[in-house]
mmCIF file of all heavy atoms in Angstrom:
data_model
loop_
_atom_site.group_PDB
_atom_site.id
_atom_site.type_symbol
_atom_site.label_atom_id
_atom_site.label_comp_id
_atom_site.label_asym_id
_atom_site.label_seq_id
_atom_site.Cartn_x
_atom_site.Cartn_y
_atom_site.Cartn_z
ATOM 1 N N CYS A 27 11.054 12.709 0.596
ATOM 2 C CA CYS A 27 11.835 13.514 1.539
ATOM 3 C C CYS A 27 11.344 14.949 1.526
ATOM 4 O O CYS A 27 11.114 15.526 0.455
ATOM 5 C CB CYS A 27 13.313 13.474 1.175
ATOM 6 S SG CYS A 27 13.971 11.793 1.059
ATOM 7 N N PHE A 28 11.212 15.517 2.716
ATOM 8 C CA PHE A 28 10.741 16.891 2.863
ATOM 9 C C PHE A 28 11.805 17.687 3.602
ATOM 10 O O PHE A 28 12.123 17.396 4.754
ATOM 11 C CB PHE A 28 9.406 16.910 3.601
ATOM 12 C CG PHE A 28 8.329 16.154 2.868
ATOM 13 C CD1 PHE A 28 8.174 14.782 3.043
ATOM 14 C CD2 PHE A 28 7.503 16.802 1.964
ATOM 15 C CE1 PHE A 28 7.219 14.075 2.341
ATOM 16 C CE2 PHE A 28 6.533 16.102 1.260
ATOM 17 C CZ PHE A 28 6.391 14.733 1.449
ATOM 18 N N VAL A 29 12.358 18.685 2.900
ATOM 19 C CA VAL A 29 13.480 19.466 3.413
ATOM 20 C C VAL A 29 13.016 20.893 3.676
ATOM 21 O O VAL A 29 12.317 21.493 2.864
ATOM 22 C CB VAL A 29 14.644 19.480 2.405
ATOM 23 C CG1 VAL A 29 15.828 20.241 2.970
ATOM 24 C CG2 VAL A 29 15.052 18.062 2.053
ATOM 25 N N GLY A 30 13.425 21.456 4.805
ATOM 26 C CA GLY A 30 13.092 22.842 5.121
ATOM 27 C C GLY A 30 13.469 23.170 6.539
ATOM 28 O O GLY A 30 13.739 22.279 7.352
ATOM 29 N N ASN A 31 13.481 24.454 6.834
ATOM 30 C CA ASN A 31 13.810 24.894 8.187
ATOM 31 C C ASN A 31 12.722 24.484 9.164
ATOM 32 O O ASN A 31 11.586 24.174 8.778
ATOM 33 C CB ASN A 31 13.990 26.417 8.213
ATOM 34 C CG ASN A 31 15.184 26.862 7.397
ATOM 35 O OD1 ASN A 31 16.179 26.144 7.298
ATOM 36 N ND2 ASN A 31 15.098 28.053 6.804
ATOM 37 N N LYS A 36 6.831 20.892 7.743
ATOM 38 C CA LYS A 36 7.134 19.493 7.396
ATOM 39 C C LYS A 36 6.350 18.527 8.278
ATOM 40 O O LYS A 36 5.729 17.586 7.796
ATOM 41 C CB LYS A 36 8.641 19.227 7.537
ATOM 42 C CG LYS A 36 9.534 20.136 6.708
ATOM 43 C CD LYS A 36 11.001 19.743 6.779
ATOM 44 C CE LYS A 36 11.578 19.780 8.196
ATOM 45 N NZ LYS A 36 11.540 21.131 8.799
ATOM 46 N N THR A 336 11.830 13.591 6.953
ATOM 47 C CA THR A 336 12.078 15.040 7.015
ATOM 48 C C THR A 336 13.502 15.290 7.490
ATOM 49 O O THR A 336 14.087 14.493 8.228
ATOM 50 C CB THR A 336 11.124 15.765 7.987
ATOM 51 O OG1 THR A 336 11.421 15.368 9.332
ATOM 52 C CG2 THR A 336 9.676 15.479 7.664
ATOM 53 N N ASP A 337 14.057 16.428 7.048
ATOM 54 C CA ASP A 337 15.379 16.859 7.501
ATOM 55 C C ASP A 337 15.492 18.356 7.256
ATOM 56 O O ASP A 337 14.893 18.890 6.316
ATOM 57 C CB ASP A 337 16.489 16.117 6.752
ATOM 58 C CG ASP A 337 17.781 16.026 7.571
ATOM 59 O OD1 ASP A 337 18.227 17.075 8.059
ATOM 60 O OD2 ASP A 337 18.323 14.917 7.711
ATOM 61 N N THR A 338 16.258 19.026 8.097
ATOM 62 C CA THR A 338 16.490 20.464 7.909
ATOM 63 C C THR A 338 17.709 20.735 7.044
ATOM 64 O O THR A 338 17.866 21.842 6.526
ATOM 65 C CB THR A 338 16.688 21.163 9.272
ATOM 66 O OG1 THR A 338 17.772 20.529 9.963
ATOM 67 C CG2 THR A 338 15.421 21.077 10.112
ATOM 68 N N ASN A 339 18.551 19.742 6.872
ATOM 69 C CA ASN A 339 19.816 19.911 6.146
ATOM 70 C C ASN A 339 19.738 19.175 4.811
ATOM 71 O O ASN A 339 19.803 17.943 4.758
ATOM 72 C CB ASN A 339 20.971 19.369 6.993
ATOM 73 C CG ASN A 339 22.329 19.667 6.395
ATOM 74 O OD1 ASN A 339 22.506 19.647 5.174
ATOM 75 N ND2 ASN A 339 23.298 19.946 7.258
ATOM 76 N N GLU A 340 19.614 19.934 3.727
ATOM 77 C CA GLU A 340 19.432 19.314 2.414
ATOM 78 C C GLU A 340 20.659 18.516 1.980
ATOM 79 O O GLU A 340 20.533 17.438 1.402
ATOM 80 C CB GLU A 340 19.111 20.387 1.368
ATOM 81 C CG GLU A 340 18.745 19.804 0.019
ATOM 82 C CD GLU A 340 18.144 20.834 -0.923
ATOM 83 O OE1 GLU A 340 17.964 21.992 -0.505
ATOM 84 O OE2 GLU A 340 17.852 20.463 -2.073
ATOM 85 N N GLN A 341 21.858 19.011 2.274
ATOM 86 C CA GLN A 341 23.064 18.291 1.894
ATOM 87 C C GLN A 341 23.191 16.987 2.671
ATOM 88 O O GLN A 341 23.573 15.947 2.126
ATOM 89 C CB GLN A 341 24.300 19.165 2.130
ATOM 90 C CG GLN A 341 25.617 18.532 1.644
ATOM 91 C CD GLN A 341 25.569 18.163 0.169
ATOM 92 O OE1 GLN A 341 25.230 18.989 -0.685
ATOM 93 N NE2 GLN A 341 25.893 16.908 -0.152
ATOM 94 N N HIS A 342 22.847 17.064 3.959
ATOM 95 C CA HIS A 342 22.863 15.853 4.793
ATOM 96 C C HIS A 342 21.923 14.801 4.224
ATOM 97 O O HIS A 342 22.266 13.613 4.118
ATOM 98 C CB HIS A 342 22.458 16.224 6.225
ATOM 99 C CG HIS A 342 22.459 15.066 7.172
ATOM 100 N ND1 HIS A 342 21.388 14.768 7.989
ATOM 101 C CD2 HIS A 342 23.392 14.108 7.422
ATOM 102 C CE1 HIS A 342 21.667 13.684 8.701
ATOM 103 N NE2 HIS A 342 22.878 13.276 8.381
ATOM 104 N N LEU A 343 20.744 15.251 3.818
ATOM 105 C CA LEU A 343 19.758 14.336 3.260
ATOM 106 C C LEU A 343 20.235 13.780 1.916
ATOM 107 O O LEU A 343 20.049 12.598 1.619
ATOM 108 C CB LEU A 343 18.419 15.045 3.097
ATOM 109 C CG LEU A 343 17.212 14.176 2.731
ATOM 110 C CD1 LEU A 343 17.003 13.088 3.766
ATOM 111 C CD2 LEU A 343 15.961 15.031 2.605
ATOM 112 N N ALA A 344 20.862 14.637 1.111
ATOM 113 C CA ALA A 344 21.377 14.187 -0.191
ATOM 114 C C ALA A 344 22.436 13.100 -0.008
ATOM 115 O O ALA A 344 22.481 12.123 -0.767
ATOM 116 C CB ALA A 344 21.962 15.373 -0.952
ATOM 117 N N ASP A 345 23.294 13.260 1.011
ATOM 118 C CA ASP A 345 24.309 12.251 1.298
ATOM 119 C C ASP A 345 23.676 10.919 1.691
ATOM 120 O O ASP A 345 24.162 9.837 1.316
ATOM 121 C CB ASP A 345 25.238 12.734 2.419
ATOM 122 C CG ASP A 345 26.076 13.934 2.006
ATOM 123 O OD1 ASP A 345 26.232 14.153 0.790
ATOM 124 O OD2 ASP A 345 26.564 14.660 2.899
ATOM 125 N N ILE A 346 22.583 11.006 2.461
ATOM 126 C CA ILE A 346 21.875 9.792 2.884
ATOM 127 C C ILE A 346 21.225 9.112 1.688
ATOM 128 O O ILE A 346 21.337 7.903 1.494
ATOM 129 C CB ILE A 346 20.813 10.140 3.953
ATOM 130 C CG1 ILE A 346 21.508 10.558 5.258
ATOM 131 C CG2 ILE A 346 19.872 8.966 4.196
ATOM 132 C CD1 ILE A 346 20.566 11.133 6.291
ATOM 133 N N LEU A 347 20.554 9.896 0.832
ATOM 134 C CA LEU A 347 19.858 9.339 -0.325
ATOM 135 C C LEU A 347 20.824 8.698 -1.314
ATOM 136 O O LEU A 347 20.467 7.733 -2.000
ATOM 137 C CB LEU A 347 19.050 10.440 -1.017
ATOM 138 C CG LEU A 347 17.839 10.974 -0.241
ATOM 139 C CD1 LEU A 347 17.250 12.187 -0.939
ATOM 140 C CD2 LEU A 347 16.785 9.887 -0.074
ATOM 141 N N ALA A 348 22.027 9.241 -1.381
ATOM 142 C CA ALA A 348 23.029 8.690 -2.297
ATOM 143 C C ALA A 348 23.381 7.252 -1.933
ATOM 144 O O ALA A 348 23.869 6.486 -2.773
ATOM 145 C CB ALA A 348 24.277 9.561 -2.287
ATOM 146 N N HIS A 354 13.185 7.903 -5.263
ATOM 147 C CA HIS A 354 12.834 8.881 -4.237
ATOM 148 C C HIS A 354 12.462 10.221 -4.867
ATOM 149 O O HIS A 354 12.820 10.496 -6.020
ATOM 150 C CB HIS A 354 13.987 9.081 -3.251
ATOM 151 C CG HIS A 354 15.219 9.658 -3.882
ATOM 152 N ND1 HIS A 354 16.241 8.867 -4.350
ATOM 153 C CD2 HIS A 354 15.593 10.944 -4.120
ATOM 154 C CE1 HIS A 354 17.198 9.621 -4.848
ATOM 155 N NE2 HIS A 354 16.831 10.893 -4.724
ATOM 156 N N ARG A 355 11.751 11.015 -4.111
ATOM 157 C CA ARG A 355 11.430 12.387 -4.491
ATOM 158 C C ARG A 355 11.760 13.300 -3.319
ATOM 159 O O ARG A 355 11.579 12.921 -2.159
ATOM 160 C CB ARG A 355 9.957 12.543 -4.866
ATOM 161 C CG ARG A 355 9.573 11.831 -6.171
ATOM 162 C CD ARG A 355 8.122 12.107 -6.558
ATOM 163 N NE ARG A 355 7.781 11.336 -7.741
ATOM 164 C CZ ARG A 355 6.564 11.304 -8.281
ATOM 165 N NH1 ARG A 355 5.585 12.013 -7.722
ATOM 166 N NH2 ARG A 355 6.326 10.576 -9.361
ATOM 167 N N VAL A 356 12.205 14.506 -3.652
ATOM 168 C CA VAL A 356 12.556 15.490 -2.617
ATOM 169 C C VAL A 356 11.649 16.703 -2.785
ATOM 170 O O VAL A 356 11.529 17.264 -3.880
ATOM 171 C CB VAL A 356 14.033 15.915 -2.732
ATOM 172 C CG1 VAL A 356 14.350 16.989 -1.678
ATOM 173 C CG2 VAL A 356 14.956 14.720 -2.560
ATOM 174 N N PHE A 357 11.008 17.108 -1.695
ATOM 175 C CA PHE A 357 10.128 18.279 -1.689
ATOM 176 C C PHE A 357 10.734 19.324 -0.759
ATOM 177 O O PHE A 357 11.100 19.005 0.366
ATOM 178 C CB PHE A 357 8.734 17.911 -1.191
ATOM 179 C CG PHE A 357 8.046 16.859 -2.022
ATOM 180 C CD1 PHE A 357 8.233 15.499 -1.750
ATOM 181 C CD2 PHE A 357 7.207 17.204 -3.054
ATOM 182 C CE1 PHE A 357 7.610 14.525 -2.508
ATOM 183 C CE2 PHE A 357 6.562 16.234 -3.812
ATOM 184 C CZ PHE A 357 6.766 14.892 -3.548
ATOM 185 N N ARG A 358 10.824 20.548 -1.237
ATOM 186 C CA ARG A 358 11.336 21.649 -0.403
ATOM 187 C C ARG A 358 10.155 22.403 0.199
ATOM 188 O O ARG A 358 9.304 22.906 -0.540
ATOM 189 C CB ARG A 358 12.233 22.561 -1.237
ATOM 190 C CG ARG A 358 13.545 21.869 -1.618
ATOM 191 C CD ARG A 358 14.355 22.641 -2.630
ATOM 192 N NE ARG A 358 15.571 21.869 -2.984
ATOM 193 C CZ ARG A 358 15.591 20.895 -3.879
ATOM 194 N NH1 ARG A 358 14.465 20.560 -4.518
ATOM 195 N NH2 ARG A 358 16.707 20.237 -4.128
ATOM 196 N N VAL A 359 10.130 22.481 1.504
ATOM 197 C CA VAL A 359 9.007 23.077 2.240
ATOM 198 C C VAL A 359 9.411 24.461 2.698
ATOM 199 O O VAL A 359 10.371 24.625 3.448
ATOM 200 C CB VAL A 359 8.609 22.198 3.443
ATOM 201 C CG1 VAL A 359 7.401 22.791 4.155
ATOM 202 C CG2 VAL A 359 8.321 20.779 2.987
#
Side-chain angles (χ1 to χ4, degrees):
C27 305
F28 299 86
V29 183
N31 295 328
K36 303 186 300 298
T336 68
D337 206 309
T338 57
N339 187 323
E340 187 168 357
Q341 185 56 52
H342 181 231
L343 189 58
D345 294 340
I346 291 171
L347 291 172
H354 64 266
R355 291 184 184 176
V356 177
F357 300 88
R358 291 170 183 83
V359 183

